[in-house]
Every structure is written in C-alpha cells, then in structure tokens.
Amino acid sequence: MSKHPIRLAVIVGSTRAGRLGPTISRWFIEQARDHGDLEIDVIDLAEAELPADLGGRLADGSYASPEVGAYAARIAAAEAFVVITPEYNRGYPAALKLAIDSVYTEWKAKPVAFVSHGGQSGGLRAVEQLRQVFAELHTVTIRDGVCFPMARDRFDADGRLHDVEGPGIAAKLLLSELLWWAEALRRARAEQPYGF
Ligand code: FNR
C-alpha cells in the first residue's frame, strides 16, 4: 500500500431511471482496484442534488446548500477524475453539464479520463464535446478511454461484462495514463500552486 494513494473520483454521469451508468461504473471500479493503490470516491450525480439554477456559490464564497458544499468538497479532494458518460442525441447528459458547471477552481490542474457508453457511437461524440468543456476548467484530458458501443448488450442481467478482454486492456491504458498525470500534477501543484 502506498502512503499517499491517488484520490480518484469516478463520476456517474447519467441519472435517469433504469440507467446503465452504475453497471458501467461498478465494472470500471473493479478494473481500477486491480490496477493499483487508489482511494476511490464514486460521485453518483443521481444523488448529488445540485440546484439547476447554478446558484451553488454565494458572493462571500460559501455554498448555497449543504449538498453543493459536500459535492464541491469531493471534487476539491480528488486528484484525478474518471467521467462515465452515456451519449444522448449526440451529446452528453444535462446532469453532467450541471455538475461540471457547479464548481470551478476545484477542477483545476487535474487530469480527467472518460469511459463512455452508447448505441452505435459508444458515446464517443459525447466524449469529444466533454474534452472542449474540460479545457475551459484547466484540466488535462487523457487521450485513451474505454468505449462501449451497443452498451446494454454487452452486460448480462447481473451486470457482468460478456467480452472482458478488449475493455480490460483499454481500462489498463486509461488508468496508466491517468495516474501518470495525477502523480505529475500532484508534484507540480505542491511545488508551485496553479495560480491561473
Ligand atoms: C440514447 N442513446 C444514444 N446512443 C448513441 O450512440 N447516440 C445517441 O445519440 C443516443 N441518443 C440517445 C438519446 C436518449 C434520450 C437515450 C435515452 C439514449 C443510447 C444511450 O447512449 C445508451 O443506451 C446508454 O448506455 C444509456 O446510458 P444510461 O442513461 O442508461 O446510463
């Protein structure tokens, strides 16, 4: 066990009833636990209760509700992010945009990787849009991700993945790149605060 494991937040981006997102998230967390010593926080946006008017932060810097404060503290504590996103009508879910926009400085100078799921596209169009959004938040987005086309058909009724090999290899690459950046940016932030 490392003395200072990387604190990884896994964000479940879909919130609708009957969603596949938590199944994908459980699969990814198994991969992450096998990969190395990580402290994992699962942020399920269905439970975050973020106000839709973006009224999260008050003029004095405090948070408008305990829910926003708790969410902001979890984003601030994380040193790396994996966003699990479906694709809805060629974009990413509105709940995910709300979660991204509800905080700002908490994202800065940290790496973000993507696990996407969809129909034909596997969610890749949602991921490309998310890369543009996360650029504004001074994050580093990770080149390699995991993508599940026709995602619902890939898991059995107990949430087990049918074809484990390809996604497993993709998850390893994602995690290796993400942790490289997480370690590098942890050192860099400690050496010189990111003041932009
Ligand atoms: C979809 N889906 C989808 N898939 C895709 O590849 N391109 C798309 O544009 C869409 N559009 C779309 C719109 C809406 C409203 C829904 C509900 C679904 C399929 C979807 O991405 C896929 O089933 C995901 O795995 C759904 O994830 P959740 O919401 O079940 O977690």
Side-chain angles (χ1 to χ4, degrees), residues 183-196:
E183 296 277 3
L185 291 173
R186 172 195 270 178
R187 279 195 302 274
R189 288 192 307 270
E191 213 169 276
Q192 188 174 358
Y194 186 79
F196 306 100

Side-chain angles (χ1 to χ4, degrees), residues 7-187:
R7 295 187 300 275
L8 169 68
V10 175
I11 299 176
V12 183
S14 60
T15 57
R16 70 194 181 101
R19 66 208 161 119
L20 186 65
T23 300
I24 307 263
S25 164
R26 277 190 291 274
W27 172 82
F28 179 76
I29 288 161
E30 270 174 36
Q31 313 305 303
R33 292 207 194 290
D34 287 351
H35 191 85
D37 192 16
L38 292 167
E39 208 178 291
I40 300 175
D41 181 21
V42 182
I43 302 180
D44 185 345
L45 298 184
E47 294 164 4
E49 294 184 52
L50 299 172
D53 63 357
L54 285 179
R57 180 103 65 163
L58 303 176
D60 66 0
S62 64
Y63 292 101
S65 73
E67 288 78 14
V68 181
Y71 167 75
R74 291 166 80 182
I75 299 296
E79 297 171 288
F81 302 97
V82 169
V83 176
I84 314 263
T85 185
E87 179 172 305
Y88 297 155
N89 300 319
R90 298 198 179 201
Y92 55 88
L96 187 50
K97 186 68 162 76
L98 177 63
I100 293 168
D101 295 343
S102 290
V103 292
Y104 180 57
T105 53
E106 291 84 348
W107 295 111
K108 285 187 177 183
K110 298 175 185 175
V112 184
F114 303 98
V115 174
S116 64
H117 52 110
Q120 295 287 356
S121 81
L124 285 179
R125 291 175 293 212
V127 169
E128 291 309 309
Q129 292 172 21
L130 283 165
R131 288 186 193 281
Q132 293 182 9
V133 172
F134 274 108
E136 183 62 17
L137 295 160
H138 301 248
T139 65
V140 175
T141 62
I142 300 305
R143 178 183 185 273
D144 289 288
V146 185
C147 162
F148 289 103
M150 310 317 287
R152 226 172 243 286
D153 303 339
R154 311 278 297 271
F155 291 84
D156 70 18
D158 297 321
R160 276 189 298 267
L161 186 60
H162 295 307
D163 166 27
V164 292
E165 199 182 342
I169 292 168
K172 276 198 181 73
L173 187 57
L174 176 160
L175 283 158
S176 300
E177 293 174 10
L178 181 70
L179 295 181
W180 189 93
W181 278 103
E183 296 277 3
L185 291 173
R186 172 195 270 178
R187 279 195 302 274

